[in-house]
Amino acid sequence: MSSPTLQDIADMLKLSKSTVSRALSGDPRVAEGTRARVASLAGHMGYTPNPTARALATRRTNTIGLAVPWAPRSLSDPFYLEFLGAAGDEAMRNGYSLFLSTPDGDGPGAVRAHSELADPRRIDGMILTEPRANDERISFLRRVELPFVVLGVASDPEVSYITGDNTAGARDAVDYLISLGHARIACITGPPDQTASDARFEGYRLAMCSAGLPIDRNIMAAGDFTQSGGHSAMRAIIDSGWVPSAVFACNDVMALGAMRALREAGLAVPADVSVVGFDGISMAEYVDPPLATVKQPIQELGRTAVQILIGRMSGEGGPAHCVLPVEFQPRDSVGPPRIGASATGRG
Amino acid sequence: MSSPTLQDIADMLKLSKSTVSRALSGDPRVAEGTRARVASLAGHMGYTPNPTARALATRRTNTIGLAVPWAPRSLSDPFYLEFLGAAGDEAMRNGYSLFLSTPDGDGPGAVRAHSELADPRRIDGMILTEPRANDERISFLRRVELPFVVLGVASDPEVSYITGDNTAGARDAVDYLISLGHARIACITGPPDQTASDARFEGYRLAMCSAGLPIDRNIMAAGDFTQSGGHSAMRAIIDSGWVPSAVFACNDVMALGAMRALREAGLAVPADVSVVGFDGISMAEYVDPPLATVKQPIQELGRTAVQILIGRMSGEGGPAHCVLPVEFQPRDSVGPPRIGASATGRG
DNA sequence: GTGAAAGCGCTAACAG
DNA sequence: CTGTTAGCGCTTTCAC
């Protein structure tokens, strides 16, 4: 009926709980014969330690928390599912389970939900996604002394993080557009203060400046990392009347939204406007035209996040700052600007 | 430093643990004054019960497990992230946390990972996604007597489930194609034995049969619910030489893969071939042309799954079988068949 | 109304 | 090498 306990095994073998516990945990002090008998019986009975009891005794839960962004009815970014899957895989492989937090929006409710999950008595460490510039969740984690790693960058050098090389990737992408002759290149950013968004914008800015191109407020718009956000942002740019010859969106789903807005405005991609995204979600390859994007090693980000966290939890070494290379992947959504269009930009 | 315990509060108030515990849990036997003092102190100290200790004592973890499908480097279906978010929301709202299982593939490893998570000492109940016809995970859950609900349908009437009306939705979609004059309608199914895939195929079959249209093996292909699966499946159909005038894919991501295969073959959507998907992921609206799809109430599926599970966990009532209505949403990826093409079908 | 005590299943000193 | 004894922090009889 109920699962067998250590005591059950001890009783049957006329041993003490302690010995059984030691035998099972491979303590070198127990006799080989005893160990074998215990192991065998445990196996036959299908014994498996009660995780809760173990957690209470050891003060370790073997569980890591993952905070994925979740704004109601808006976010469904494949990037996170893939990240989550890879992280879950790696966690399991190391004997950890994944605990999930899905804050509803950005309000105080989110913080409450977060602090509820980020309880050191519940999880051993945490992966935080979509950090903001001065994220209160980070100060919270530090206050309760819970090991954590953020997916993104953190200004505080004490904070471990893992990220794709956002700035370099964005810069590569925009450099490529420029090399094709584009000059009026729009940028659709993510939510303000979101570090990934900021870093990608910085790459855009660097590329533009290096080429001596002006950064015009009319061809910039803030999205929110969702399709509809990308759609509205592109719409706003178009409505401003000064249509760009290319647009760099700070993530793939916004790029898809932007492509739709362009189509609706009767503009062809890439003939009239080239579009580039960021992330490398697998879907990007399947839309029409296939979306050029900066490919992040999503799986590796997930795996490494867990590995870094495990390092931090074991207390060895200092904070890790890991920046994985990303790769710009040209696809049919980009092409040279229309003749004459490139001239417009320089004014 | 460390979180305050019940004992700490008891000591400060010169009470016993029991009384404090009772006061906090609203036991009617404690004096009003005592209750107030306890509540106040607990509030100031930021006391919050240790979930692990509570779980050990009550044998309830207030945690529900969620098994999302995860085949390495293949799956990134936005459907699941949205489902997961909604389920997580509803769980939190009811005082439950979400535990995640991400089985790696279909092999024995998946079952091991699953049974590791599906431990009644770890979670109070579980949501199982992508059930197969004779899913061994289901028998496992029944054996360990863990309450659960499946996202999909289960043949066993004792098993609770929640699902969109797959058959009706698929039928509506295919009926619509037929009403436009399509006769050669291909079908790209999901993994064999996957219940959702089977039910959707059944809707396709019903629509075809009712219209007196033949179901040709040449215009059917098995995908695996991934983009690339949809792509290969469409490719196989095209290569068979007998190109359909419309194709019904059993989920949206396969539909996107199929659209790409069609483009690569020089076939226009919907001019040459109409395409319909299933799920209603938000991305479907943003591709070109916007993908007609059978819209599932994803959020509601997630919420209701949790509600049903909570019902089951509290032991009240029998198994719940919930089928939510879905709605076919025509979009520009479907259109009338080319003149003459519809005739070919009836042969 | 409140307290004392036992116990959830496990680990971890401390003895022998 | 193995057993005994304490807890981990909470709930829950059973007394008073």
Side-chain angles (χ1 to χ4, degrees):
Chain A
M1 191 76 204
S2 183
S3 337
T5 81
L6 221 43
Q7 190 63 259
D8 296 338
I9 302 192
D11 290 349
M12 315 200 79
L13 259 35
K14 309 266 182 247
L15 287 173
S16 73
K17 288 192 302 183
S18 333
T19 306
V20 177
S21 172
R22 285 192 282 252
L24 257 21
S25 64
D27 188 307
R29 297 176 301 185
V30 313
E32 186 47 50
T34 317
R35 142 116 86 279
R37 291 193 306 141
V38 170
S40 158
L41 182 56
H44 284 136
M45 297 183 51
Y47 169 80
T48 163
N50 182 323
T52 307
R54 195 204 282 267
L56 186 57
T58 61
R59 296 152 161 292
R60 295 190 65 251
T61 59
N62 288 305
T63 295
I64 81 188
L66 172 54
V68 312
W70 172 254
R73 51 198 82 260
S74 75
L75 204 123
S76 60
D77 193 328
F79 175 86
Y80 283 104
L81 193 61
E82 199 163 344
F83 177 82
L84 184 159
D89 248 33
E90 184 67 16
M92 290 249 159
R93 197 189 318 291
N94 290 90
Y96 285 90
S97 308
L98 260 203
F99 222 78
L100 220 66
S101 159
T102 56
D104 44 346
D106 281 329
V111 176
R112 181 182 44 68
H114 178 258
S115 54
E116 207 164 289
L117 173 94
D119 184 334
R121 300 169 303 182
R122 201 186 252 301
I123 61 178
D124 294 339
M126 157 155 244
I127 299 174
L128 200 58
T129 65
E130 292 220 334
R132 297 181 164 266
N134 278 333
D135 204 309
E136 43 184 329
R137 297 175 302 170
I138 291 186
S139 26
F140 179 85
L141 289 169
R142 301 202 61 169
R143 196 162 55 246
V144 300
E145 296 182 29
L146 186 76
F148 66 101
V149 55
V150 322
L151 173 65
V153 296
S155 46
D156 186 333
E158 287 300 307
V159 171
S160 293
Y161 64 78
I162 166 113
T163 180
D165 196 340
N166 289 313
T167 303
R171 175 158 189 177
D172 286 353
V174 179
D175 275 345
Y176 181 81
L177 291 171
I178 293 171
S179 76
L180 289 181
H182 289 279
R184 286 188 46 73
I185 303 173
C187 181
I188 299 178
T189 66
D193 281 349
Q194 220 275 326
T195 60
S197 169
D198 290 352
R200 291 171 196 176
F201 173 69
E202 177 62 9
Y204 163 83
R205 202 187 60 74
L206 286 175
M208 295 295 276
C209 287
S210 301
L213 294 172
I215 294 183
D216 195 310
R217 289 194 56 89
N218 287 323
I219 52 175
M220 299 218 9
D224 56 358
F225 278 178
T226 71
Q227 279 109 331
S228 69
H231 183 263
S232 329
M234 190 70 243
R235 185 57 171 267
I237 292 172
I238 294 171
D239 287 349
S240 80
W242 210 23
V243 177
S245 72
V247 46
F248 168 67
C250 284
N251 78 348
D252 285 343
V253 295
M254 289 197 302
L256 298 181
M259 283 172 71
R260 184 189 187 190
L262 289 166
R263 276 198 306 278
E264 290 171 350
L267 295 164
V269 176
D272 296 313
V273 181
S274 291
V275 177
V276 177
F278 203 112
D279 275 348
I281 63 177
S282 56
M283 205 154 299
E285 200 177 339
Y286 288 89
V287 297
D288 183 30
L291 176 66
T293 181
V294 180
K295 214 168 195 165
Q296 299 211 68
I298 309 185
Q299 309 258 347
E300 200 182 343
L301 284 170
R303 278 198 304 274
T304 314
V306 170
Q307 285 159 3
I308 291 179
L309 183 57
I310 289 177
R312 300 271 50 202
M313 292 187 300
S314 70
E316 56 201 21
H321 300 155
C322 180
V323 179
L324 297 182
V326 297
E327 191 188 5
F328 172 63
Q329 175 116 27
R331 293 209 186 101
D332 292 350
S333 67
V334 307
R338 277 208 185 296
I339 310 300
S342 66
T344 329
R346 274 306 261 162
Chain B
M1 191 77 204
S2 183
S3 341
T5 79
L6 222 44
Q7 190 62 259
D8 296 338
I9 302 192
D11 290 349
M12 316 200 78
L13 259 35
K14 309 264 182 250
L15 287 172
S16 72
K17 289 193 299 182
S18 332
T19 306
V20 177
S21 171
R22 284 192 281 251
L24 257 21
S25 65
D27 187 307
R29 296 177 301 184
V30 312
E32 186 47 50
T34 319
R35 141 114 87 284
R37 290 193 305 141
V38 170
S40 157
L41 181 56
H44 284 135
M45 297 184 52
Y47 169 79
T48 161
N50 182 323
T52 307
R54 195 203 281 268
L56 186 58
T58 61
R59 296 148 162 294
R60 295 191 63 251
T61 59
N62 288 305
T63 296
I64 82 188
L66 173 55
V68 310
W70 171 255
R73 53 198 80 258
S74 75
L75 205 121
S76 59
D77 193 329
F79 175 87
Y80 284 104
L81 193 62
E82 199 164 342
F83 177 83
L84 184 159
D89 247 34
E90 184 68 16
M92 290 248 159
R93 196 191 318 289
N94 289 281
Y96 285 89
S97 309
L98 260 204
F99 222 77
L100 218 66
S101 160
T102 58
D104 45 347
D106 281 329
V111 177
R112 181 182 45 66
H114 178 259
S115 54
E116 206 165 290
L117 172 94
D119 185 333
R121 299 168 304 183
R122 202 186 249 303
I123 61 179
D124 294 338
M126 155 156 247
I127 298 175
L128 199 59
T129 66
E130 292 220 333
R132 296 180 165 266
N134 278 334
D135 204 311
E136 43 185 327
R137 297 174 302 170
I138 290 185
S139 26
F140 179 85
L141 289 169
R142 301 202 60 169
R143 196 161 54 247
V144 300
E145 297 182 28
L146 186 75
F148 67 100
V149 55
V150 321
L151 174 66
V153 295
S155 46
D156 186 333
E158 286 301 306
V159 171
S160 293
Y161 63 79
I162 166 113
T163 180
D165 195 340
N166 290 313
T167 304
R171 173 154 190 180
D172 285 352
V174 178
D175 275 345
Y176 182 82
L177 292 171
I178 292 172
S179 75
L180 289 181
H182 289 279
R184 285 188 49 72
I185 303 172
C187 181
I188 298 179
T189 66
D193 280 348
Q194 221 274 328
T195 60
S197 169
D198 290 352
R200 291 170 196 176
F201 173 68
E202 176 63 8
Y204 164 83
R205 201 187 59 74
L206 285 175
M208 295 295 275
C209 287
S210 301
L213 295 171
I215 294 182
D216 195 310
R217 290 195 56 89
N218 287 323
I219 51 174
M220 299 218 11
D224 57 358
F225 278 179
T226 71
Q227 279 109 332
S228 70
H231 183 263
S232 329
M234 189 72 241
R235 185 58 169 267
I237 292 172
I238 295 171
D239 288 349
S240 79
W242 211 23
V243 178
S245 71
V247 47
F248 168 67
C250 283
N251 77 348
D252 285 344
V253 296
M254 290 199 300
L256 298 181
M259 283 172 71
R260 183 188 188 192
L262 289 167
R263 277 197 305 278
E264 290 171 351
L267 294 163
V269 175
D272 294 314
V273 181
S274 292
V275 178
V276 178
F278 202 113
D279 275 350
I281 62 178
S282 56
M283 204 153 300
E285 200 177 341
Y286 288 89
V287 298
D288 184 32
L291 176 66
T293 181
V294 179
K295 213 167 197 164
Q296 298 211 68
I298 309 184
Q299 309 259 347
E300 199 183 342
L301 284 170
R303 278 198 304 273
T304 313
V306 170
Q307 285 159 2
I308 290 179
L309 184 56
I310 289 178
R312 299 269 54 200
M313 292 187 301
S314 69
E316 58 201 21
H321 300 155
C322 180
V323 179
L324 298 182
V326 298
E327 191 187 5
F328 173 63
Q329 176 116 28
R331 292 209 186 100
D332 291 350
S333 67
V334 308
R338 277 207 185 295
I339 309 301
S342 67
T344 329
R346 272 307 259 160

